[in-house]
Amino acid sequence: PMLAGLRVLDLTNERGMLCGQILADLGVDVIQIEPPAGSSARWIGPFHKDERDPERSLFFWAYARGKRGVVLDLETEDGRARLRELARGADFLLESETPGRMRELGLDYESLARENPALVYVSITPFGQDGPKARYAATDLVVMASGGPLYLTGDADRAPLRVSVPQAFHHAAAEAALAA
């Protein structure tokens, strides 16, 4: 495979899981890191046989395919230490946390790069890590409207129409995979 021999730590949720999945499809060893309660993506339907259960999310199955998984509690020092240990041997780290959250945990790029200067740190956020809109709440609709693509939908004499399936974060995740 094209990118065999590289390792990714994937801390993304539904906003960025496609990034790791693309890299896994290209041969990267992707380790999906989830909190003890599981990724929020596990609660996105549809669900296998319509049974709402985090182990039956077709969304999660689709975007976690080709990845290995590990549970780390980043709210604890032990969990953060284990992530730092994994990051020393990783080529990439992907995250889609609320802006500033990884810094609060001491797991931002600057902190991790001290021990692994070659680490490529990919942060997928709606409006960046800082700036006036960094902490804005962002649904797919908000991001599509803010970025401009929503302007292209619908008719000139009425409000824009939402495209049928969420796309903004999938576009961002695909661009993040390319950038990585």
Side-chain angles (χ1 to χ4, degrees):
M2 182 186 300
L3 299 178
L6 297 174
R7 174 165 292 156
V8 167
L9 303 180
D10 187 345
L11 285 85
T12 62
N13 58 19
E14 59 276 6
R15 291 184 169 185
M17 286 184 71
L18 177 61
C19 179
Q21 185 254 303
I22 290 170
L23 294 173
D25 287 349
L26 293 171
V28 176
D29 176 23
V30 179
I31 302 171
Q32 182 79 46
I33 298 173
E34 295 185 71
S39 171
S40 55
R42 289 180 176 275
W43 290 102
I44 296 175
F47 295 93
H48 180 60
K49 296 188 178 181
D50 290 326
E51 294 178 28
R52 187 170 161 75
D53 182 288
E55 297 298 324
R56 300 177 77 81
S57 167
L58 298 179
F59 180 94
F60 186 83
W61 289 357
Y63 296 110
R65 76 177 191 271
K67 301 178 185 181
R68 296 187 292 150
V70 67
V71 173
L72 290 179
D73 187 352
L74 300 182
E75 301 299 321
T76 68
E77 184 50 46
D78 182 58
R80 292 188 295 272
R82 289 176 184 231
L83 181 67
R84 285 190 289 273
E85 182 181 330
L86 287 169
R88 283 194 288 276
D91 298 289
F92 305 93
L93 182 138
L94 315 174
E95 63 93 358
S96 58
E97 280 288 339
T98 301
R101 181 65 181 140
M102 296 300 277
R103 182 176 304 281
E104 291 169 6
L105 294 171
L107 301 171
D108 57 317
Y109 171 74
E110 291 79 13
S111 300
L112 296 176
R114 279 187 226 124
E115 295 186 47
N116 181 355
L119 182 69
V120 175
Y121 193 102
V122 180
S123 179
I124 301 169
T125 65
F127 300 109
Q129 283 292 329
D130 52 33
K133 296 182 181 180
R135 293 199 177 259
Y136 276 21
T139 63
D140 182 73
L141 184 61
V142 168
V143 174
M144 292 294 280
S146 297
L150 202 60
Y151 180 78
L152 302 173
T153 63
D155 298 311
D157 63 337
R158 62 193 106 176
L161 298 172
R162 181 176 189 274
V163 178
S164 63
V165 295
Q167 295 186 23
F169 290 108
H170 286 336
H171 283 283
E175 294 291 336
L178 177 64

